[in-house]
Amino acid sequence: VVATQVKSIQDALRAKKKRFIFQGEEIGLVRTVGIFITMNPGYAGRSELPDNLKALFRPCAMMVPNYALIAEIELYSFGFEQAKPIAIKVCASLTLSSEQLSSQDHYDFGMRALKAILTACGNLRRALDWSEDQIGLRALKDVNLPKFTSNDIPLYTGITNDLFPGINLPAPDYELLNNAMHGQCEALNLQPKPEFLKKCIQLYETIMVRHGLMVVGGAYSGKSKVIKVLQNSFTAIDNEDFVPVETHFINPKSILQTQLYGYNDEDSGEWTDGVLALKIAGCANSETTDRKWIIFDGPVDAVWIENMNTVLDDNKKLCLSSGAIIKLKPTMTIMFEVEDLSQASPATVSRCGMVLLEPHELGHNVLITSYINSLAHFIDEKLTSKLHQLIQYIGDAVVGFVYGRCKFPVPTGPNFVIDNMLKVFDTFVRGWQPVEQDEPSKVPGNVEDICYNAIVFSFIWGIGAQIDEDTRPQFDTFLQEIINGEDVNQKYTLEMEEKFPEPVKFKTHLGTEY
């Protein structure tokens, strides 16, 4: 590719042309043209030049930048008096983190990570009347904690405690936002679990320092709901710091790359804008002060994400093949909602802020609570309370058992199997819901028996059907022991880490009341 480009330029120079065909398009020729090739040796996604071509170019090496000096100058510009010691500590925290923490696809401790921390320092310096050490520690935690796995957080806390000994951080004042988030959780029938609200706050803090960010996590970790709750909370708060949010969702893998960015029609030579170009242009040309989040809800791969590099950089410009350049406004945020970043290059990872969500932090009990709440308007409160207690007890016990002793041919998480079980159970009760408000209830007289039997059926088919043939007999025995009221704690938890919850009374056609 490089050789043909160079040859076409040289041929045009020899022929003393003013315009020439370059890669299928006619462009103007400047006689003083210079050719530069950026090659990062050993970098993923780049290949070496062939030797015969490499010999025609002069190598030009770059020095490794002095991170501490850059950080010191930036901090002085923000008005820090203790810029030098804080700069050294910030750089040390990044070095130690890269050496001591686990290796994850979404971790980055390079220059852009340092820049994000320094930006956070500047924002906090203007907003808070704290000591400089406290601001430095708060910035480090705000920028880095959201992306760490639950196993790495204690290690990172140890690093920051060693670098900033004896520094205690006052609790940040998020009362307005917290109240709004609680209200939105209630409106959306979500459970305001502290871990969930913490991720909403971390997403907010990341939006404040980065215009490009990724919400990373497996299925059932709450990615979509965290974004939704924060969006609704921004819109609900009547305050100049929080303005309404518009969201624009795009699934980048559902369309061709040409449809995403735009393409040149070979026959007519006309340029057609892509979906992304139209969305970003629409937001950039908008006159409103509302925040605009463009959310890519789909897998990230090196093919389409590399074209986003100029948008995610500090220059915040989308450069299209047509030559058009769209500048992002300060109110715009580019967000990616992805399961993992195994296919993304280090360049993309370093350009984005990261918020990691883990399914085990959310837990499966919140799914059960939200589901039971959805039954409350057409099933008696006394019965829903019993159902909640019963499903939670069997759910905890069964999840503990199947993930300790059974095998899944297709790997799935506890949240997925519990949700699957609830969907099976829902097929029994959903038909009782009145279609119109004044319609009489369709709940049958023997509702309690139907629900108890449906619970057993849904555990068998919602969870038992997903485990392999060899371990199903063990699951069968375990479920029968629960139904018959045997103390599964005594029998099983001696061999397993977790203790099952206390059994509850219930009856089914498989056993008597106990």
Side-chain angles (χ1 to χ4, degrees):
V1 173
V2 175
T4 51
Q5 288 177 351
V6 171
K7 187 174 186 305
S8 66
I9 293 168
Q10 287 180 336
D11 288 348
L13 286 168
R14 283 194 199 97
K16 296 184 178 176
K17 291 183 179 178
K18 290 193 176 177
R19 295 186 70 76
F20 74 111
I21 303 296
F22 182 75
Q23 285 194 305
E25 285 185 47
E26 189 180 333
I27 60 169
L29 177 65
V30 180
R31 302 285 307 164
T32 55
V33 61
I35 299 164
F36 300 85
I37 309 173
T38 311
M39 302 297 298
N40 296 350
Y43 175 73
R46 300 273 187 275
S47 55
E48 282 292 313
L49 279 181
D51 289 336
N52 59 346
L53 190 60
K54 194 189 281 186
L56 303 175
F57 287 85
R58 250 187 327 201
C60 170
M62 302 295 290
M63 281 173 60
V64 176
N66 184 339
Y67 281 40
L69 187 60
I70 291 169
E72 186 185 334
I73 294 165
E74 280 259 331
L75 290 172
Y76 273 130
S77 74
F78 292 135
F80 280 78
E81 292 175 11
Q82 303 294 317
K84 189 162 190 171
I86 292 174
I88 292 167
K89 288 176 181 180
V90 167
C91 294
S93 77
L94 293 173
T95 308
L96 291 168
S97 298
S98 63
E99 291 167 357
Q100 294 183 18
L101 303 187
S102 64
S103 176
Q104 303 286 335
D105 291 325
H106 65 276
Y107 282 6
D108 167 62
F109 302 107
M111 179 58 81
R112 287 193 180 95
L114 175 66
K115 182 73 174 71
I117 294 166
L118 297 175
T119 305
C121 282
N123 292 347
L124 293 168
R125 183 83 174 77
R126 285 188 287 272
L128 301 172
D129 189 22
W130 290 5
S131 74
E132 293 186 355
D133 270 346
Q134 285 178 321
I135 288 172
L137 180 57
R138 166 86 188 273
L140 276 175
K141 291 195 167 184
D142 283 1
V143 173
N144 286 328
L145 281 182
K147 69 183 172 194
F148 291 143
T149 62
S150 50
N151 294 332
D152 282 339
I153 287 173
L155 295 170
Y156 184 73
T157 306
I159 291 169
T160 53
N161 288 347
D162 291 345
L163 290 169
F164 293 90
I167 302 293
N168 292 318
L169 290 182
D173 178 22
Y174 288 129
E175 189 182 352
L176 258 179
L177 190 56
N178 269 320
N179 291 342
M181 290 192 305
H182 273 90
Q184 294 308 318
C185 284
E186 196 175 321
L188 294 166
N189 190 19
L190 301 172
Q191 305 315 306
K193 201 176 177 184
E195 291 84 352
F196 178 81
L197 296 179
K198 183 178 78 177
K199 285 297 168 189
C200 293
I201 294 287
Q202 288 179 347
L203 179 62
Y204 166 66
E205 289 169 345
T206 309
I207 288 169
M208 290 297 107
V209 292
R210 300 264 201 163
H211 69 282
L213 58 109
M214 293 191 175
V215 183
V216 186
Y220 290 92
S221 58
K223 301 189 295 294
S224 299
K225 297 301 180 190
V226 161
I227 294 171
K228 185 71 177 168
V229 166
L230 190 63
Q231 177 202 350
N232 289 3
S233 301
F234 265 53
T235 309
I237 299 171
D238 186 16
N239 184 303
E240 60 184 21
D241 295 334
F242 299 94
V243 293
V245 176
E246 288 176 26
T247 51
H248 303 272
F249 284 86
I250 299 172
N251 182 347
K253 296 299 286 178
S254 65
I255 53 177
L256 298 172
Q257 197 172 337
T258 50
Q259 293 169 328
L260 188 63
Y261 291 103
Y263 61 94
N264 225 20
D265 191 283
E266 289 181 11
D267 300 326
S268 65
E270 281 186 9
W271 174 261
T272 305
D273 277 322
V275 174
L276 174 61
L278 292 169
K279 287 277 184 200
I280 290 187
C283 293
N285 296 332
S286 169
E287 298 298 321
T288 64
T289 55
D290 294 357
R291 284 183 173 274
K292 293 152 193 85
W293 296 352
I294 295 160
I295 302 165
F296 291 85
D297 191 348
V300 161
D301 65 40
V303 180
W304 72 267
I305 195 77
E306 288 289 321
N307 295 321
M308 296 289 292
N309 283 353
T310 51
V311 186
L312 300 172
D313 261 335
D314 278 350
N315 53 19
K316 302 182 187 177
K317 289 175 182 173
L318 177 65
C319 303
L320 300 169
S321 308
S322 63
I325 295 174
I326 306 168
K327 180 97 170 76
L328 265 62
K329 279 190 171 176
T331 53
M332 290 168 66
T333 300
I334 306 288
M335 232 180 257
F336 301 87
E337 194 182 316
V338 293
E339 185 163 2
D340 61 60
L341 291 171
S342 57
Q343 303 302 311
S345 70
T348 303
V349 173
S350 69
R351 282 175 165 87
C352 291
M354 298 287 165
V355 179
L356 177 75
L357 287 90
E358 294 174 296
H360 70 81
E361 284 214 332
L362 192 64
H364 59 266
N365 284 331
V366 293
L367 299 173
I368 296 170
T369 307
S370 290
Y371 175 71
I372 294 296
N373 288 350
S374 73
L375 302 180
H377 65 282
F378 66 94
I379 292 180
D380 175 52
E381 189 183 336
K382 197 174 174 185
L383 178 56
T384 52
S385 175
K386 283 184 185 174
L387 293 178
H388 190 188
Q389 189 185 13
L390 188 56
I391 293 175
Q392 202 149 320
Y393 162 63
I394 307 181
D396 287 353
V398 165
V399 162
F401 181 82
V402 294
Y403 282 97
R405 301 167 72 102
C406 300
K407 289 179 185 167
F408 288 83
V410 178
T412 50
N415 297 14
F416 177 82
V417 296
I418 289 292
D419 192 52
N420 211 38
M421 183 281 298
L422 292 171
K423 282 173 180 166
V424 176
F425 178 76
D426 193 56
T427 59
F428 290 91
V429 300
R430 189 51 58 191
W432 303 340
Q433 188 175 359
V435 180
E436 293 170 17
Q437 273 191 327
D438 53 350
E439 198 177 324
S441 173
K442 298 178 183 176
V443 178
N446 60 339
V447 57
E448 210 163 313
D449 285 343
I450 293 173
C451 286
Y452 291 156
N453 291 327
I455 286 171
V456 177
F457 180 89
S458 54
F459 271 103
I460 294 167
W461 289 103
I463 298 178
Q466 297 185 55
I467 57 182
D468 70 350
E469 294 283 343
D470 298 338
T471 51
R472 275 182 197 173
Q474 295 175 40
F475 175 76
D476 170 42
T477 307
F478 179 72
L479 205 54
Q480 287 194 42
E481 285 168 353
I482 290 179
I483 291 163
N484 294 329
E486 293 181 29
D487 188 356
V488 289
N489 272 316
Q490 194 64 35
K491 187 169 180 181
Y492 292 97
T493 51
L494 298 174
E495 307 165 39
M496 294 168 66
E497 289 179 17
E498 288 185 28
K499 198 171 170 66
F500 300 134
E502 289 303 309
V504 290
K505 290 184 180 180
F506 72 106
K507 61 178 181 178
T508 72
H509 68 292
L510 301 172
T512 54
E513 187 173 351
Y514 55 90

